[in-house]
Amino acid sequence: MVFEPSSKSPHPQGKKARAKFPKVRTGCLTWCVLLTSSLLTHLWTKAMSDSDLALVTASKYFLRTLSFPHCPLNASKRAMNFLYPSNLGAMPGSRRESSIFFHLTSCTVKDLIGYSPSLTHFWCDYVLPFGHMASPVRHALISLGASHRSFLLKDSSDISLSEKQSYDRFAIQQYNKAISDLTPFMTDPSSLGLQAILTCCLIFVCIDNLNARYASAIRHLRAGSDILYSLQDSEVASAAEGAGSLQVKKPTNIRCDNDALCSLSDMFARLGLDASLFVDSRLVRHRGFSTYGLVTHDGIHEPFQSSSVASGELLKFDLDLQHFWYPADGSHCSTSPQDEVFGLGEAASCPMPEERRHEFQNFCGRFDRWTTRFNLYLENINHTSVSDAEFNEAMVLSLHQKVWSAIMKQGPCCDVPLDRQEFEGILNQVELVILADSSKAHPIFSFDADTIPPISFVAAFCDDFDLKMRAIAMLRSINRSEGVWDSKRMADMYEAALIDGEYN
């Protein structure tokens, strides 16, 4: 599906043919093994300044102290306790802290939300108000804002190095303050303290991604997920034991807010899918809290009500597929189709058992149903007026639909070649998405990886030299960082691979 640049009227295609799905996704694309170990080593062991090392040291201390008893969920569904009035008043702190916090609210958060309006509620209605009431979250947010200011100045020739470094030092100072203020919660976590720890952990992931400290980001991501996993385990165990006639006593008196944990769980899951690139495995273990956890079959022939609903359903599909490809026992398809991509030899035949193939076919049908509903939604908004935010998200979803369709046609083991038109369609749609966001002249850092993975998919799998070069040029020009994905670093990687002849 391609959106015409001259109007906000999408023109849906017909239903996609049933396709097959390799170990990849639109947002995280676990064809991440395309990153060779030497490139990963270069990214993770990149020379750090003294301030970088200080930040990583503080991060390691924080991770070592994360140890919590099992905390059961409050089973009752109640209104979220983190909704606060939009007028929060003055933020406590120094003048510089207030200035950076203002930058965070007016610029950083807008860029983080990017093409995903569904993130607005989490950042604006939960995290920012929480920062006003919880000092660890406040200092973590200020550190994020200072890091973002430094990020925006990295390519500016009008700013002195000392000014940029001043933001880096301030970010580290605020980061350490957040760690210090979290210490009481680590020793005796309450419900609010647990939310503060998880929220800070999530913010730390964003800070590390923003500064290209990917190994540290992954450690924070895993730490937060492990906490959520322990909460899930205790809740499952409590439910199982309580199913009989006996009333089982809760293992702890901490009552965790279900809605807050659902929102945090969703954010960790989204980051985990995108960051799976770097390790070719599942990074997040938790399941059960997420609001995306249930698959419904209501209205399968009806259009989605909004782009956010369509996006949520696609994320459900994505999360479930990751658990299909990477089960809890650690087993997954042993085929290495990337060997064929790099010219390292022929990929072996897919060893997927028959029962797994049947399960895989169910996923194929599920994607077909999503495509049908999404195309009906596009037909509807073609005749109605929608907001810019919804229109932009619909364009991104159309891009994701193209990538999903292409990678599923490759088959479960990526052994089916794709036509040139599949790759051209992806790049054409990316250009339209970028065009809609062309008003932003500064470098962009977003929470979700929406455009860089699809371009990288073309650079990795397309055999046509001109399309490879077009994808690499696009990566180099868009000046975006999306989670762990940095467009210029990806361009350098694929260009180096192309020069070295690894695609021949």
Side-chain angles (χ1 to χ4, degrees):
M1 148 107 238
V2 177
F3 283 76
E4 298 295 336
S6 59
S7 69
K8 293 187 178 181
S9 300
H11 304 285
Q13 291 179 338
K15 178 179 176 181
K16 299 286 185 183
R18 174 164 293 190
K20 298 180 179 180
F21 187 83
K23 295 185 295 182
V24 295
R25 71 176 286 270
T26 302
C28 89
L29 295 177
T30 54
W31 35 270
C32 52
V33 285
L34 293 174
L35 284 176
T36 63
S37 58
S38 60
L39 285 169
L40 282 175
T41 302
H42 171 72
L43 288 174
W44 286 7
T45 60
K46 181 181 177 182
M48 293 182 178
S49 65
D50 292 341
S51 59
D52 290 329
L53 291 173
L55 186 54
V56 172
T57 300
S59 168
K60 289 180 179 178
Y61 166 78
F62 170 70
L63 294 174
R64 284 199 303 270
T65 58
L66 288 180
S67 178
F68 304 99
H70 291 308
C71 307
L73 283 171
N74 184 356
S76 64
K77 285 283 186 178
R78 60 182 185 277
M80 292 188 222
N81 66 1
F82 51 76
L83 291 178
Y84 300 101
S86 57
N87 184 10
L88 298 170
M91 198 276 300
S94 67
R95 179 176 297 180
R96 189 174 191 190
E97 287 175 339
S98 299
S99 174
I100 295 297
F101 197 85
F102 176 78
H103 169 79
L104 174 94
T105 57
S106 61
C107 183
T108 307
V109 169
K110 289 181 180 179
D111 283 359
L112 280 170
I113 293 170
Y115 302 113
S116 304
S118 58
L119 292 175
T120 302
H121 171 67
F122 176 75
W123 286 101
C124 296
D125 297 333
Y126 170 52
V127 178
L128 293 181
F130 201 7
H132 273 258
M133 66 174 293
S135 63
V137 178
R138 178 166 64 252
H139 291 302
L141 286 171
I142 295 171
S143 178
L144 176 60
S147 295
H148 186 245
R149 283 287 294 167
S150 177
F151 171 79
L152 295 179
L153 298 175
K154 67 178 183 179
D155 296 328
S156 176
S157 57
D158 300 329
I159 303 298
S160 65
L161 179 61
S162 61
E163 182 174 352
K164 181 183 180 302
Q165 289 175 338
S166 71
Y167 286 111
D168 292 333
R169 288 192 295 269
F170 190 67
I172 294 169
Q173 179 191 82
Q174 294 296 311
Y175 187 102
N176 289 334
K177 281 187 176 182
I179 295 291
S180 177
D181 289 354
L182 278 175
T183 303
F185 296 127
M186 296 175 189
T187 56
D188 186 22
S190 62
S191 174
L192 190 65
L194 185 61
Q195 292 179 45
I197 290 168
L198 288 169
T199 304
C200 285
C201 209
L202 192 77
I203 297 170
F204 293 159
V205 174
C206 295
I207 294 171
D208 289 330
N209 283 337
L210 195 54
N211 289 281
R213 288 188 286 263
Y214 303 124
S216 179
I218 287 174
R219 286 195 297 269
H220 280 123
L221 186 59
R222 281 179 165 153
S225 178
D226 287 346
I227 296 171
L228 290 166
Y229 185 74
S230 68
L231 294 174
Q232 174 196 331
D233 271 359
S234 65
E235 180 68 10
V236 171
S238 176
E241 293 173 359
S245 58
L246 296 177
Q247 293 295 321
V248 180
K249 184 179 179 181
K250 298 285 186 180
T252 177
N253 60 359
I254 299 176
R255 302 184 69 79
C256 308
D257 184 86
N258 186 75
D259 296 300
L261 288 178
C262 279
S263 294
L264 287 163
S265 175
D266 292 343
M267 298 304 112
F268 275 99
R270 293 167 84 138
L271 285 176
L273 286 169
D274 291 334
S276 293
L277 164 69
F278 287 91
V279 294
D280 188 29
S281 65
R282 273 171 50 190
L283 284 173
V284 295
R285 298 193 297 159
H286 65 280
R287 291 191 74 177
F289 296 149
S290 176
T291 54
Y292 303 128
L294 299 176
V295 179
T296 61
H297 298 285
D298 299 335
I300 58 176
H301 299 297
E302 297 178 1
F304 290 115
Q305 295 301 308
S306 67
S307 60
S308 293
V309 174
S311 178
E313 287 292 326
L314 192 59
L315 182 58
K316 286 182 193 177
F317 178 72
D318 202 343
L319 290 168
D320 290 343
L321 265 173
Q322 190 185 50
H323 286 276
F324 171 75
W325 286 115
Y326 296 100
D329 61 7
S331 62
H332 58 81
C333 183
S334 60
T335 304
S336 299
Q338 70 276 9
D339 289 350
E340 187 175 346
V341 175
F342 281 111
L344 302 178
E346 257 184 58
S349 59
C350 184
M352 185 181 292
E354 187 60 34
E355 62 273 14
R356 298 270 290 167
R357 288 181 179 273
H358 177 71
E359 187 178 354
F360 167 75
Q361 288 301 320
N362 291 334
F363 279 110
C364 292
R366 187 170 157 188
F367 177 69
D368 286 343
R369 290 190 292 273
W370 183 91
T371 297
T372 299
R373 296 189 66 189
F374 182 64
N375 286 341
L376 290 172
Y377 160 76
L378 292 177
E379 289 179 3
N380 280 357
I381 67 172
N382 187 33
H383 303 291
T384 58
S385 176
V386 296
S387 66
D388 289 342
E390 175 144 358
F391 175 75
N392 290 341
E393 185 172 40
M395 285 203 298
V396 171
L397 286 173
S398 182
L399 169 62
H400 291 181
Q401 181 188 33
K402 285 182 174 294
V403 181
W404 273 111
S405 179
I407 59 183
M408 292 174 76
K409 287 177 182 178
Q410 288 183 307
C413 294
C414 303
D415 54 358
V416 178
L418 295 173
D419 296 332
R420 176 186 173 92
Q421 63 184 21
E422 301 278 359
F423 297 112
E424 281 186 311
I426 292 171
L427 293 183
N428 290 341
Q429 188 65 30
V430 171
E431 287 180 340
L432 292 178
V433 171
I434 294 171
L435 182 64
D437 203 32
S438 59
S439 60
K440 296 181 179 179
H442 61 270
I444 299 297
F445 174 73
S446 64
F447 188 86
D448 283 338
D450 287 321
T451 60
I452 301 176
I455 305 172
S456 300
F457 176 77
V458 177
F461 283 96
C462 183
D463 292 327
D464 296 294
F465 180 82
D466 61 320
L467 290 183
K468 283 183 181 294
M469 293 305 299
R470 180 182 170 191
I472 292 172
M474 194 178 293
L475 285 170
R476 200 172 298 286
S477 66
I478 60 177
N479 203 11
R480 294 181 65 91
S481 289
E482 300 174 346
V484 296
W485 296 74
D486 182 85
S487 61
K488 291 186 177 180
R489 288 187 178 90
M490 296 302 293
D492 291 340
M493 187 194 75
Y494 287 118
E495 189 172 63
L498 194 61
I499 293 173
D500 291 341
E502 293 190 25
Y503 290 101
N504 297 330

